[in-house]
Amino acid sequence: MEKPQQITIDGPASSGKSTVAALLATELGYLFFDTGVMYRAVTYAYLKSGLSLTDESGISALAERMRIDIRPPTVDDKRQNDILLDGEDITWQIRTREVDDHVSPISVIAGVRKAMTRQQREIGLRGKVVMVGRDIGTVVLPEAPLKIYLDASAEVRAKRRYDELMARGSKADYEQILAGIKDRDQIDSNRKIAPLKPADDAIIINSDALTVREVVDRIKERFA
Ligand code: DC
C-alpha cells in the first residue's frame, strides 16, 4: 500500500488511540485530529448551559453554534493541542470526571453527531491526517485507505486512565474508573447512530500486551 492520505483509528475509551495517533502523525508529518475532543467540548458547553439532557433540539442548536478550534499547543503542560471553545481555552476543562460522565449520552444526540460529523469530514478530506474516534472508519471517512480498530480489555484501559489521572495529580479511584469505562462502552457500542464498531475492512489491533511503539510499528508495517 502507498502511504495512505487518511488513517482512521477507532476504538473504545482509553484504548490508547490518541497516544498512538499522536506519535504516528508526528512521524508521518500528518495532522493528529482527535474527534473525541469535539464531543467533549459540546458536553462542556452543555454542562455550563443549564439545558436539560432531554432538550435534544436545544443541545443540537448549541452544537451547531459553537466554534471549536484545535490548534498547536501554546502551553507546555503535556497537552497535545490547545482546544478552544469560542476563543476560550478549555483544554483541561474537557478532561474532568464530570465531562467523562456526561459525554456518552451527549454523543448519542442525532443533531450533535450531524454537526460534528460534517466538520470532521471536511478536515479529513484535506488529507495527511490521522483521525481518532469511534465512527471515523465507519461513518466520517469510510473511504480512508487505512482503518485501524484499537482494542484493549476494560481492566487495562481503566488502569491506564488511573495512571494518567494520578500523573496529573488528580484524585482517582480504580473501581470507579472501571465502572465508568464499562458504562461508556455500553452506550457508545449500542447507540443507534454511528455505534462504536470496527469497519468491515478495519485492521483490529489489541493493545493489552503492546507498547505504544509496537502499535505504531504494526500500523506502519501496512504501508512501509
Ligand atoms: O475518545 P474520548 O474518550 O475522548 O471520547 C469521548 C466520547 O465522545 C466517547 O465516549 C464517545 C464520543 N465520541 C463519539 O461518539 N464519536 C467519536 N468519533 C469520538 C468520540
Side-chain angles (χ1 to χ4, degrees):
M1 185 195 277
E2 278 176 36
K3 203 164 145 188
Q5 279 297 300
Q6 289 105 351
I7 302 174
T8 66
I9 306 186
D10 291 302
S14 300
S15 58
K17 304 181 297 285
S18 301
T19 318
V20 163
L23 179 61
L24 181 63
T26 304
E27 291 184 358
L28 296 175
Y30 279 18
L31 173 74
F32 160 58
F33 182 20
D34 178 3
T35 61
V37 157
M38 297 181 77
Y39 291 96
R40 286 174 178 274
V42 177
T43 305
Y44 171 77
Y46 151 77
L47 288 168
K48 273 194 21 181
S49 71
L51 288 168
S52 142
L53 187 57
T54 53
D55 183 3
E56 296 201 355
S57 57
I59 301 171
S60 301
L62 185 72
E64 285 284 352
R65 231 180 12 245
M66 41 192 283
R67 272 192 50 78
I68 306 167
D69 274 330
I70 304 170
R71 303 219 179 133
T74 57
V75 183
D76 183 16
D77 61 0
K78 297 206 174 137
R79 63 180 61 191
Q80 284 164 323
N81 289 110
D82 283 358
I83 313 298
L84 304 178
L85 170 60
D86 298 326
E88 181 198 352
D89 186 330
I90 56 159
T91 308
W92 294 118
Q93 283 88 328
I94 61 170
R95 299 285 167 196
T96 61
R97 185 102 196 267
E98 205 188 4
V99 170
D100 273 359
D101 287 347
H102 290 84
V103 66
S104 281
I106 291 294
S107 342
V108 166
I109 300 171
V112 170
R113 299 211 70 81
K114 195 165 152 230
M116 299 300 113
T117 301
R118 196 188 57 235
Q119 295 181 40
Q120 291 163 9
R121 188 162 164 76
E122 251 172 55
I123 296 170
L125 287 176
R126 292 183 203 148
K128 290 196 187 308
V129 65
V130 182
M131 227 161 138
V132 173
R134 302 288 187 291
D135 60 341
I136 311 304
T138 51
V139 174
V140 178
L141 281 179
E143 67 271 69
L146 181 58
K147 298 174 195 159
I148 308 294
Y149 187 87
L150 191 58
D151 213 349
S153 69
E155 288 71 20
V156 167
R157 290 184 283 130
K159 175 74 169 60
R160 285 181 189 154
R161 178 86 181 118
Y162 173 85
D163 291 344
E164 215 177 273
L165 286 168
M166 294 301 273
R168 282 218 305 270
S170 310
K171 270 206 254 148
D173 177 280
Y174 172 82
E175 290 303 331
Q176 235 173 32
I177 294 171
L178 180 61
I181 278 190
K182 286 182 173 169
D183 271 358
R184 278 169 68 196
D185 283 358
Q186 177 70 13
I187 303 176
D188 294 349
S189 309
N190 293 302
R191 70 183 176 215
K192 276 210 200 86
I193 309 172
L196 168 67
K197 65 167 186 203
D200 290 339
D201 53 350
I203 293 149
I204 299 177
I205 301 177
N206 185 302
S207 75
D208 271 357
L210 296 177
T211 62
V212 171
R213 179 74 261 160
E214 286 168 334
V215 175
V216 170
D217 287 344
R218 286 207 185 179
I219 298 173
K220 283 176 128 181
E221 272 166 18
R222 296 284 159 170
F223 53 88

